[in-house]
Amino acid sequence: MMRVRLKQERQLAGLSQAQLAHLIGISQQTISKHEHGKITPGHFTIIRQYERVLGVSAKDLFPDIFL
């Protein structure tokens, strides 16, 4: 499952994957895997970091987690 919203919000924020990764404290490769739906954030704190940095609710960024 592709997480299009996550990628769109990152791009709207004007951030590269590497920049977002630095702000959240994870690797660029992990950002890519999250955006492509290959893995789900393993810790709720990471999800909260996405919310904080991108200004979008976790439910909107990761709807598959909140079904």
Side-chain angles (χ1 to χ4, degrees):
M1 172 186 200
M2 186 94 164
R3 292 193 176 107
V4 176
R5 179 80 188 262
L6 178 59
K7 183 176 181 177
Q8 288 175 338
E9 292 298 336
R10 174 182 58 77
Q11 291 173 332
L12 283 172
L15 298 170
S16 68
Q17 287 182 345
Q19 290 168 322
L20 180 58
H22 176 75
L23 292 171
I24 291 178
I26 58 179
S27 71
Q28 178 273 321
Q29 292 83 2
T30 300
I31 297 285
S32 178
K33 289 176 183 177
H34 289 165
E35 287 184 357
H36 287 91
K38 292 181 180 177
I39 62 171
T40 298
H43 298 282
F44 198 66
T45 55
I46 294 172
I47 293 172
R48 289 291 186 206
Q49 289 289 75
Y50 275 114
E51 285 184 314
R52 180 185 62 79
V53 172
L54 297 176
V56 179
S57 77
K59 190 173 181 180
D60 290 335
L61 294 173
F62 301 98
D64 53 315
I65 296 173
F66 294 93
L67 291 177

